[in-house]
């Protein structure tokens, strides 16, 4: 019974953390938090306990292959939010995920190669991230937390319960669907507008590098059979990468601020030199 309740509360707790961060710190920071493997690692832990480390390792490898589709759908949903309704955007994104995940599965990629392709996909998605200038949605300001928690609990229960029947490969591909991110983006789109949804998903994409590294570390270390060590190393790697992303963003913002300050000083200096001395006195 205790194990069942742990499964039930697994994803809702992560969604609750992301939603509270969304209210307190904004959509971008919330996306960074949701981008962490806060649901995938515990879910894979449960799978490993039920079906063994070999099963969980194979599932993690398939998840990495499916992550190539994740890089596509995060960008695609942000693009669609600018032009269509939340429901159409979600439907188109799910269809795209099914197509891309099925296609990459036939390529039989290794976990490392899949991780490299996904990392390049995240970088390309961030570079091509759609502008929010076309956002015309009128936000309602609502935040249906209860619905987010229920949907996340249902998804976790379905994945863990069906993992044995679907097998490690299909289970990994299904788990690669960023269901929590898309669900929160969908509701953010409805409640706060397309701009907020796009900002949230951009944060998720930036934060997904930590998820990607954690899955790669987990796929390799699970082969040792030491469950505790594998998950500890995976979570540690995720936190280190996330800290690196945050540090890089902080340095970028600081650099832009310094450049802007120098530009303003240059303009002021040019204006001062252009004022006649008599006027200055």
């Amino acid at each position: 019974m205790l194990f069942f309740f742990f499964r039930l509360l697994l994803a809702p707790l992560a969604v609750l953390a992301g939603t509270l961060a969304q209210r307190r710190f904004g959509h971008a920071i919330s996306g960074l938090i949701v981008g962490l493997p806060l649901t995938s690692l515990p879910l894979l832990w449960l799978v490993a306990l039920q079906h063994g480390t070999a099963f969980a390792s194979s599932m993690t490898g398939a998840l990495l292959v499916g992550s190539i589709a994740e890089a596509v759908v995060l960008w695609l949903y942000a693009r669609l939010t600018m032009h269509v309704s939340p429901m159409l955007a979600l439907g188109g994104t799910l269809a795209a995920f099914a197509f891309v995940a099925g296609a990459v599965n036939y390529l039989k990629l290794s976990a490392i190669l899949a991780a490299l392709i996904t990392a390049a996909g995240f970088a390309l998605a961030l570079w091509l991230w759609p502008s929010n200038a076309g956002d015309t949605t009128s936000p309602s300001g609502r935040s249906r937390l209860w619905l987010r928690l229920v949907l996340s609990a249902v998804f976790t229960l379905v994945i863990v319960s069906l993992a044995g029947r679907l097998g490690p490969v299909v289970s990994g591909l299904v788990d690669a669907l960023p269901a929590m991110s898309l669900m929160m983006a969908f509701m953010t789109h409805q409640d706060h507008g397309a701009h907020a949804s796009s900002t949230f998903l951009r944060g998720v994409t930036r934060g997904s590098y930590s998820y990607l590294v954690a899955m790669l570390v987990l796929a390799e270390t699970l082969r040792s059979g030491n469950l505790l060590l594998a998950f500890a190393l995976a979570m540690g790697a995720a936190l280190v990468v996330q800290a690196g992303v945050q540090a890089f963003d902080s340095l970028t913002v600081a650099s832009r601020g310094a450049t802007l300050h120098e530009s303003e000083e240059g303009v002021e200096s040019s204006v001062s030199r252009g004022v006649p001395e008599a006027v200055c006195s």
Side-chain angles (χ1 to χ4, degrees):
M1 184 61 68
L2 181 62
F3 188 71
F4 173 79
F5 280 113
F6 181 63
R7 287 195 305 179
L8 189 64
L9 295 175
L10 180 62
L13 288 175
V15 171
L16 178 62
T19 302
L20 293 178
Q22 195 174 38
R23 294 176 177 177
R24 179 65 177 85
F25 302 108
H27 304 293
I29 298 300
S30 173
L32 278 174
I33 294 175
V34 174
L36 283 165
L38 297 178
T39 56
S40 295
L41 283 180
L43 188 148
L44 288 167
W45 173 278
L46 294 176
V47 169
L49 290 177
Q50 285 191 339
H51 304 287
T53 54
F55 186 101
S57 178
S58 298
M59 181 174 170
T60 306
L63 193 152
L64 280 168
V65 173
S67 294
I68 298 174
E70 178 183 353
V72 174
V73 300
L74 291 175
W75 174 86
L76 180 61
Y77 188 92
R79 169 68 67 179
L80 291 176
T81 57
M82 301 295 128
H83 306 288
V84 299
S85 67
M87 189 60 70
L88 286 176
L90 182 62
T93 300
L94 292 176
F97 176 84
F99 175 78
V100 176
V104 297
N105 183 45
Y106 281 107
L107 298 178
K108 306 300 181 183
L109 302 173
S110 66
I112 295 177
L113 181 56
L116 291 174
I117 294 174
T118 304
F122 285 145
L124 182 62
L126 290 171
W127 184 51
L128 298 175
W129 203 260
S131 170
N132 293 316
D135 183 11
T136 58
T137 305
S138 177
S140 65
R142 294 174 289 116
S143 183
R144 293 161 293 179
L145 178 59
W146 65 270
L147 186 56
R148 299 184 183 196
L149 299 181
V150 170
L151 290 176
S152 60
V154 169
F155 180 78
T156 302
L157 283 173
V158 169
I159 291 298
V160 175
S161 301
L162 293 180
R165 298 179 182 179
L166 296 176
V169 174
V170 176
S171 297
L173 290 174
V174 173
D175 190 35
L177 173 69
M180 301 301 103
S181 300
L182 290 178
M183 181 265 294
M184 291 187 65
F186 174 79
M187 294 188 175
T188 300
H189 189 182
Q190 288 188 316
D191 296 342
H192 303 286
H195 173 78
S197 180
S198 177
T199 301
F200 167 77
L201 283 177
R202 192 175 191 280
V204 171
T205 304
R206 288 168 55 232
S208 291
Y209 283 105
S210 61
Y211 157 85
L212 185 62
V213 171
M215 293 301 104
L216 183 59
V217 170
L218 186 63
E220 296 299 320
T221 54
L222 272 176
R223 298 174 182 174
S224 68
N226 191 325
L227 196 62
L228 183 60
L229 177 63
F231 280 90
L233 289 175
M235 193 65 212
L239 293 175
V240 169
V241 171
Q242 192 74 306
V245 171
Q246 287 291 90
F248 177 78
D249 288 344
S250 299
L251 288 174
T252 302
V253 171
S255 176
R256 289 176 180 174
T259 302
L260 180 61
H261 181 67
E262 291 176 358
S263 299
E264 291 176 347
E265 287 185 343
V267 172
E268 291 177 357
S269 177
S270 299
V271 171
S272 298
R273 288 196 298 269
V275 176
E277 184 177 352
V279 175
C280 293
S281 61

